[in-house]
Amino acid sequence: MENLKIHILVVEDNPGDYLLIEENLHEKFENATIDHCTDYQSVLDKFKSNAAYSIILLDFNLPDLEGIHLVDNVQNLAQDAPIIILTGYSDIKMARESLAKGVSDFLIKDEINAEILYKSIVYALERKKFVYEQTKSKEIYQHLFNFTPQPLWLYDAECLTFLDVNEAAVRKYGYSREEFLKMTIKDIRPQIEIDTLNQQLAKPVAEKEQAFAGIYTHQLKSGDTIKVEIYSGDMEYNGRKARIVLSNDITDKLNHLQTIEGQNMKLKKIAWTQSHIVRAPISRILGILNLIEMLSYDSKEMPFLLHQLRVSTDEMDTIVREIVNESQLINFKE
């Protein structure tokens, strides 16, 4: 940290105090660049010239502005640069108010030495880095959460209320985000499945699936129901035990499978008809033809055999028509 290249703005109107602060800074930060301002107007001019600082050491009382108003104004100028307040007297109320506004530290000038100043600056810079990383992590989580194409939500593991939902869930289920946050996960289940849900929730944590949780029926705001695959896992959200859930609508997939199964049953019926029922009249026709070949055309049995040939042929024609009709009922494009 001593070799860190940082740009420090010291706002101090007392020349003696500034010299001590400057010496303390150079003792601990060899590569520090230090700018000095003696009033608020010069601070304003610095930022108007697009100056950027790693950290700001701010005297609490300046000739042209002081106190909380000074802190507010410098914070607006500094944006994300940490601010350490320097003051000549101890005011606990003022210190608390400053810290509540996001000031990194509040130091008494008479107590400052190189070590104290070093620790305060290091803490402020590390805190800024930590907050930045936390903010980026939250942004990444929020982007992943919202841009996931599948409905995704978080719910409280104890009271079952929705804690967060993504845009895909809003589009799929029809509820606004505000409506979701007033609901529990029971509100998207048909009444007939509430008992099953309660049984699932009552299971010990060790028995709950941490990935695929099963196939369930969910109810949309419109009243329509869909079949969904649920994937879920435990997590902590804003200090609360929560469960994250991904919902995958498989209604069309199941309907398609049901259609294919129905087609397969029809094909099996046709195949069975061809292999069993069709063979009976064919066998009779072949037998009759064999007998006709063995008899003379003026045989007394010829009319009977021809009649049986007609009956078997008509039966064969009926069976073929039934097969054609069954085949036409199958929609292979589904």
Side-chain angles (χ1 to χ4, degrees):
M1 184 65 71
E2 289 87 341
N3 296 321
L4 180 67
K5 292 182 179 180
I6 57 175
H7 195 181
I8 304 172
L9 175 62
V10 180
V11 185
E12 174 60 65
D13 64 325
N14 187 306
D17 288 341
Y18 171 70
L19 287 175
L20 290 174
I21 292 169
E22 185 181 32
E23 288 179 4
N24 289 330
L25 289 172
H26 283 309
E27 180 179 334
K28 287 293 185 178
F29 299 97
E30 297 177 358
N31 295 318
T33 301
I34 302 173
D35 285 353
H36 180 211
C37 291
T38 58
D39 55 26
Y40 175 69
Q41 183 58 50
S42 59
V43 173
L44 196 58
D45 293 338
K46 287 281 187 183
F47 281 98
K48 283 182 178 179
S49 64
N50 296 320
Y53 295 98
S54 308
I55 194 160
I56 299 171
L57 306 182
L58 178 65
D59 186 359
F60 205 56
N61 295 284
L62 298 177
D64 51 351
L65 195 63
E66 62 181 25
I68 294 301
H69 293 302
L70 172 62
V71 174
D72 287 338
N73 286 11
V74 174
Q75 276 186 318
N76 290 334
L77 295 172
Q79 297 181 350
D80 63 343
I83 297 174
I84 297 175
I85 297 296
L86 308 177
T87 184
Y89 56 90
S90 177
D91 187 331
I92 299 302
K93 181 181 178 182
M94 201 66 73
R96 286 177 176 172
E97 192 172 348
S98 299
L99 294 171
K101 286 180 173 292
V103 168
S104 296
D105 208 349
F106 191 95
L107 302 179
I108 308 301
K109 291 180 183 179
D110 292 341
E111 299 175 357
I112 294 176
N113 56 40
E115 193 64 32
I116 289 175
L117 193 56
Y118 169 75
K119 288 181 179 179
S120 182
I121 291 174
V122 169
Y123 169 79
L125 293 175
E126 289 297 323
R127 180 175 178 273
K128 173 189 173 183
K129 180 182 177 182
F130 174 77
V131 170
Y132 174 79
E133 290 175 349
Q134 290 293 102
T135 302
K136 291 302 293 183
S137 295
K138 187 174 181 180
E139 288 177 357
I140 292 171
Y141 153 78
Q142 206 64 48
H143 283 309
L144 291 173
F145 189 81
N146 284 323
F147 294 149
T148 300
Q150 301 292 356
L152 195 65
W153 59 77
L154 285 168
Y155 72 87
D156 190 295
E158 295 179 359
C159 62
L160 309 182
T161 55
F162 286 98
L163 300 175
D164 200 3
V165 295
N166 70 350
E167 291 299 323
V170 171
R171 291 193 299 271
K172 170 60 70 174
Y173 287 79
Y175 296 100
S176 68
R177 186 174 186 276
E178 290 71 23
E179 288 175 320
F180 262 118
L181 299 184
K182 296 177 183 177
M183 298 162 54
T184 73
I185 60 172
K186 291 184 178 182
D187 294 324
I188 60 170
R189 293 294 189 93
Q191 194 62 38
I192 195 172
E193 284 203 0
I194 297 299
D195 288 341
T196 303
L197 174 62
N198 289 333
Q199 293 172 10
Q200 179 72 17
L201 295 172
K203 289 182 179 180
V205 176
E207 294 183 18
K208 290 181 180 178
E209 294 289 340
Q210 292 299 309
F212 178 66
I215 296 176
Y216 300 95
T217 302
H218 281 182
Q219 187 166 299
L220 309 180
K221 184 178 181 179
S222 64
D224 296 334
T225 58
I226 57 174
K227 285 291 185 180
V228 293
E229 289 177 333
I230 292 298
Y231 297 84
S232 63
D234 295 320
M235 66 176 293
E236 186 173 309
Y237 181 78
N238 292 339
R240 301 162 72 175
K241 291 183 179 179
R243 199 160 176 87
I244 187 167
V245 176
L246 185 144
S247 169
N248 180 30
D249 184 0
I250 58 171
T251 307
D252 292 340
K253 176 182 175 181
L254 292 178
N255 289 339
H256 183 65
L257 289 174
Q258 187 175 6
T259 299
I260 291 175
E261 289 175 358
Q263 292 174 351
N264 288 339
M265 290 298 296
K266 292 175 181 178
L267 290 172
K268 287 179 180 179
K269 182 179 178 182
I270 292 172
W272 187 87
T273 300
Q274 290 176 327
S275 62
H276 293 78
I277 299 178
V278 173
R279 291 188 63 82
I282 289 178
S283 296
R284 287 198 299 273
I285 290 172
L286 292 174
I288 292 170
L289 290 174
N290 288 335
L291 290 173
I292 290 175
E293 289 176 352
M294 294 171 59
L295 298 174
S296 60
Y297 287 105
D298 56 354
S299 171
K300 294 179 180 180
E301 296 180 5
M302 186 62 69
F304 173 76
L305 294 175
L306 291 174
H307 175 71
Q308 292 301 315
L309 184 62
R310 168 61 65 184
V311 170
S312 296
T313 303
D314 290 342
E315 182 182 353
M316 182 67 180
D317 181 62
T318 300
I319 293 171
V320 170
R321 289 177 184 274
E322 290 177 355
I323 292 175
V324 171
N325 291 336
E326 288 287 340
S327 300
Q328 291 176 343
L329 293 177
I330 300 175
N331 186 359
F332 290 98
K333 294 183 180 181
E334 293 183 359

